Amino acid sequence: MPRPISLAVLLFLACAAAQAQDGQARIVSDRPDLVETSDVVGKGRVQLETGVLVERERGGGNGNSGERTYSMPTLLRVGLGESLEMRIETEGRTVRHSRDTDSGERSTVAGYADTALGLSWHVLDGDGMRPSLGVLVDAELPTGSRRLRGEGARPSLRVVGEWELPGDLELGLMPGVAVERQLDTGRYTYGIFGAVLEKAFSERLHGFAEIALPQIARSRHGGTQARFDVGAAWFVSNDCQIDTMFSRGLNDRTPYASFTVGLSIRR
């Protein structure tokens, strides 16, 4: 995986190169939090959102200690119309290191994650207390490496509402539902929920805090995952954003801690 300093330099240079391509409106990215945007990129526009994610698992519960996962989450958004976009998303190259607490044996799993195909529909513009609304549907497909591949197609549906608040604040809520398949437990449905509060500190710098529940499920299906996220985005230009986020797991079913840095660029 790239070193953080080298990655930061590459991200800055990429954004600086995009500065001459400014559009009329500032870029709106789905990175790096769980709650997606209700907006779409616009007809004929293409937006790439990518980064590096590092996750650290709690040790002991599953016989592993100090498990770390490195991935490169990437989302490509293509504007099909003024209110509709196509989305292609993947966790990208993934490397997972773990150590067995009993034997001390270390193992590594490396490969490519599955890819999800979907659509995002901007349903309603915000106006006063009326939220901006969006609907996202997608299906994750078993396209990844053998040891990282899921079972069959796993569809999901999410609804996003965004409210502009006084004090340069914005509230976003995202309930959703998804289907997962496992060899031992079969097919099951789980819930998704996220709530994020964003603050504009300046035209270029925005910060946010989020409560994220990427999986709400019964214990036999892995239980509910919950985390607290805090992060920031810097708008190098109207068409380019650099972002970062730190997450802390709120229960033992969620990665103990994770960190991401990334880039979103629009053409």
Side-chain angles (χ1 to χ4, degrees):
M1 304 299 292
R3 294 181 178 181
I5 295 178
S6 299
L7 178 63
V9 171
L10 289 173
L11 294 180
F12 180 80
L13 291 176
C15 275
Q19 199 159 7
Q21 304 295 329
D22 280 359
Q24 294 299 312
R26 193 193 71 213
I27 186 173
V28 179
S29 174
D30 278 337
R31 281 193 51 85
D33 54 344
L34 175 72
V35 177
E36 312 284 23
T37 178
S38 63
D39 291 328
V40 294
V41 295
K43 185 177 182 179
R45 304 302 298 265
V46 176
Q47 185 164 311
L48 178 66
E49 305 175 12
T50 189
V52 172
L53 173 66
V54 182
E55 296 178 308
R56 178 184 175 188
E57 299 282 353
R58 287 179 170 85
N62 58 0
N64 293 325
S65 176
E67 182 173 299
R68 293 177 184 268
T69 302
Y70 302 86
S71 60
M72 299 185 69
T74 300
L75 170 63
L76 179 65
R77 303 166 60 187
V78 180
L80 303 179
E82 293 304 326
S83 61
L84 186 68
E85 73 179 24
M86 179 180 67
R87 300 162 63 91
I88 305 172
E89 188 169 12
T90 179
E91 291 300 308
R93 178 69 176 174
T94 301
V95 180
R96 183 178 300 130
H97 302 288
S98 60
R99 180 173 65 87
D100 189 277
T101 55
D102 297 326
S103 66
E105 182 180 353
R106 298 178 182 272
S107 63
T108 298
V109 175
Y112 292 91
D114 288 346
T115 299
L117 301 179
L119 294 171
S120 177
W121 175 33
H122 178 69
V123 180
L124 186 68
D125 290 331
D127 185 11
M129 291 305 296
R130 186 182 73 188
S132 174
L133 290 178
V135 175
L136 297 88
V137 293
D138 68 12
E140 194 169 5
L141 306 175
T143 60
S145 302
R146 183 177 60 84
R147 298 183 69 181
L148 297 171
R149 187 182 308 152
E151 294 294 320
R154 290 95 68 200
S156 72
L157 168 67
R158 288 158 289 168
V159 178
V160 183
E162 295 176 304
W163 290 262
E164 292 187 1
L165 304 177
D168 294 322
L169 294 170
E170 184 175 282
L171 172 66
L173 299 176
M174 188 186 74
V177 63
V179 174
E180 184 60 82
R181 300 172 189 266
Q182 294 181 341
L183 285 175
D184 52 350
T185 60
R187 175 177 172 176
Y188 66 91
T189 301
Y190 65 91
I192 303 168
F193 182 77
V196 62
L197 186 65
E198 181 178 327
K199 167 70 175 178
F201 296 106
S202 70
E203 284 293 322
R204 290 188 179 270
L205 178 63
H206 288 200
F208 67 87
E210 176 185 61
I211 295 294
L213 285 78
Q215 176 174 291
I216 305 170
R218 296 180 179 180
S219 58
R220 70 172 182 269
H221 298 311
T224 295
Q225 298 176 4
R227 68 176 196 253
F228 176 72
D229 305 332
V230 61
W234 176 264
F235 299 97
V236 178
S237 70
N238 281 355
D239 286 331
C240 194
Q241 167 191 305
I242 293 175
D243 60 69
T244 187
M245 182 180 75
F246 174 79
S247 299
R248 182 66 181 266
L250 299 179
N251 60 28
D252 59 6
R253 303 182 185 95
T254 311
Y256 173 73
S258 61
F259 173 76
T260 184
V261 60
L263 161 74
S264 299
I265 189 167
R266 179 180 64 182
R267 289 289 187 229

